[in-house]
Amino acid sequence: MPTTLPLKYVYQFIEPGPVVLLVTALPGAKPNIMAMSWHMMVEFEPPLIACIVSSSNYSFAALHETGECVLAIPDAKLAEQVTGIGNCSGRTIDKFTEFRLTPLPGQHVMPPLVSECFVNLECRVVEIRFVNKYNMFILECIKGWAIPDKITVKTIHHHGFGTFTVDGETIHTSSKMP
Amino acid sequence: MPTTLPLKYVYQFIEPGPVVLLVTALPGAKPNIMAMSWHMMVEFEPPLIACIVSSSNYSFAALHETGECVLAIPDAKLAEQVTGIGNCSGRTIDKFTEFRLTPLPGQHVMPPLVSECFVNLECRVVEIRFVNKYNMFILECIKGWAIPDKITVKTIHHHGFGTFTVDGETIHTSSKMP
């Protein structure tokens, strides 16, 4: 079961640039999942995360209308499912069922966590002024979840067309940062 | 020597989330380098890239005043230099000299390319409306450069405090995207 991930650590999971799953839910509809790689940290704490969600995506309306989402970080074992999720639309497919993923209720937002993901971030949209021009949303993470024994899992980074690099060696350089 | 990287391929190098070097140059001053991990793709072509540059960074004024920069992507062999670059300020240190990097003139912007980096992107600032509130700039890449024989090099992804993961295995999943 996931336990609380303190908000001050959230950036350490987003800054490396892994593929994430964006989970949204329109009222009365099944929750939906989108694969996303166009996101970045904007502020450490409270954690702000910018992301691009194309207005052609089914997830766009849910994110825009509800102002809520979950960002779930999959590990490398889920790579085929991530590509599958990116290759179909929630308009016609229930992706949790199709890709054998387990929704888990969050505490603060309607969209569920993804049980199989080692980190889940409950988020609210806090900035929509760049939606029209750039499809850009800014999210605030209000609650983080992590599966402790999975904290060293390997994430995946998308290079386009279903090709990913998996995290390899970890190296520690001599940072003077506090 | 670097050769032209067609603009339609730029996203494939930014989307995976590697650490990049932001090169800027105030008129009459030596060019400066900053290590950056808070960036994301915004549009495929012409390539738009959003990034966060704190107003406390020496690079902020140069980027804001000149509206020009180079994004250079270092490989894993440069990890110690990347951390060193992130640990000091261009206010007092000439980073190209200090970290034994070689500036190379670009074609369209004043800041130089970094010869040792396998990809260099000449960029212009095209959006500053989110600078005041979020320190966010949106850049348009107007010219890309790559060293062809280095195209499969391993990049690094920052997890905080000088800890990086290096690209590991490459996996190909069954994408249906065109």
Side-chain angles (χ1 to χ4, degrees):
Chain A
M1 289 294 292
T3 58
T4 295
L5 174 68
L7 294 179
K8 66 179 177 179
Y9 296 130
V10 165
Y11 82 95
Q12 297 186 9
F13 295 92
I14 296 296
E15 180 167 328
V19 173
V20 302
L21 300 177
L22 174 73
V23 188
T24 52
L26 278 171
K30 290 188 175 172
N32 186 39
I33 315 175
M34 180 186 124
M36 184 166 78
S37 288
W38 291 14
H39 54 73
M40 68 174 177
M41 291 305 301
V42 172
E43 186 53 83
F44 286 104
E45 195 176 0
L48 299 182
I49 301 166
C51 64
I52 307 292
V53 178
S54 168
S55 54
S56 64
N57 286 123
Y58 180 61
S59 300
F60 179 90
L63 185 61
H64 204 218
E65 288 175 26
T66 68
E68 295 187 345
C69 65
V70 167
L71 298 183
I73 309 183
D75 68 22
K77 291 190 217 70
L78 296 171
E80 280 290 349
Q81 281 147 289
V82 168
T83 298
I85 286 166
N87 278 343
C88 65
S89 171
R91 286 183 188 88
T92 53
I93 289 176
D94 173 353
K95 297 197 192 180
F96 273 98
T97 301
E98 177 78 12
F99 298 103
R100 305 172 306 286
L101 296 171
T102 315
L104 192 68
Q107 276 185 355
H108 301 279
V109 299
M110 284 300 295
L113 318 181
V114 180
S115 293
E116 288 77 6
C117 288
F118 74 108
V119 166
N120 280 275
L121 307 174
E122 298 186 44
C123 298
R124 288 211 181 100
V125 174
V126 292
E127 179 67 77
I128 59 168
R129 281 182 292 165
F130 272 10
V131 170
N132 281 348
K133 185 160 185 188
Y134 298 108
N135 290 324
M136 183 193 296
F137 296 83
I138 298 183
L139 315 173
E140 178 181 337
C141 175
I142 52 177
K143 174 75 185 181
W145 300 96
I147 301 179
D149 61 341
K150 283 197 174 177
I151 218 81
T152 57
V153 296
K154 294 180 182 303
T155 64
I156 51 176
H157 303 263
H158 194 229
H159 292 250
F161 306 103
T163 295
F164 301 95
T165 47
V166 182
D167 291 339
E169 178 191 13
T170 297
I171 56 178
H172 303 279
T173 62
S174 46
S175 175
K176 293 176 196 159
M177 287 291 167
Chain B
M1 287 296 291
T3 58
T4 295
L5 173 68
L7 294 180
K8 66 178 177 179
Y9 296 130
V10 165
Y11 82 95
Q12 296 187 9
F13 296 92
I14 295 296
E15 180 167 327
V19 174
V20 303
L21 300 177
L22 174 72
V23 188
T24 52
L26 278 170
K30 292 189 172 171
N32 186 38
I33 316 175
M34 181 185 122
M36 185 166 76
S37 289
W38 290 15
H39 53 74
M40 67 175 179
M41 291 305 301
V42 172
E43 188 52 84
F44 286 105
E45 194 175 1
L48 299 182
I49 300 166
C51 64
I52 307 292
V53 179
S54 168
S55 54
S56 64
N57 286 123
Y58 180 62
S59 300
F60 179 91
L63 185 61
H64 204 217
E65 288 175 25
T66 68
E68 295 187 344
C69 65
V70 166
L71 298 183
I73 309 183
D75 68 22
K77 292 191 215 70
L78 296 171
E80 280 289 349
Q81 281 147 288
V82 168
T83 298
I85 285 165
N87 278 343
C88 64
S89 171
R91 287 183 187 89
T92 53
I93 289 176
D94 173 354
K95 297 196 192 182
F96 273 98
T97 302
E98 178 77 12
F99 297 103
R100 304 172 307 285
L101 296 171
T102 315
L104 193 69
Q107 275 184 358
H108 301 279
V109 300
M110 284 300 295
L113 317 181
V114 180
S115 292
E116 288 77 6
C117 288
F118 74 109
V119 166
N120 280 274
L121 307 174
E122 298 186 44
C123 298
R124 287 209 181 102
V125 174
V126 293
E127 179 67 77
I128 59 168
R129 282 181 291 166
F130 272 10
V131 170
N132 282 348
K133 185 160 185 187
Y134 298 109
N135 290 323
M136 184 193 296
F137 296 83
I138 298 182
L139 315 172
E140 178 180 337
C141 175
I142 52 178
K143 174 75 186 180
W145 299 97
I147 302 179
D149 60 343
K150 284 197 171 178
I151 218 81
T152 58
V153 296
K154 293 180 181 305
T155 65
I156 51 175
H157 303 263
H158 193 229
H159 292 250
F161 306 102
T163 295
F164 301 96
T165 47
V166 182
D167 290 341
E169 178 191 12
T170 297
I171 55 178
H172 303 279
T173 61
S174 45
S175 175
K176 294 174 196 161
M177 289 290 167

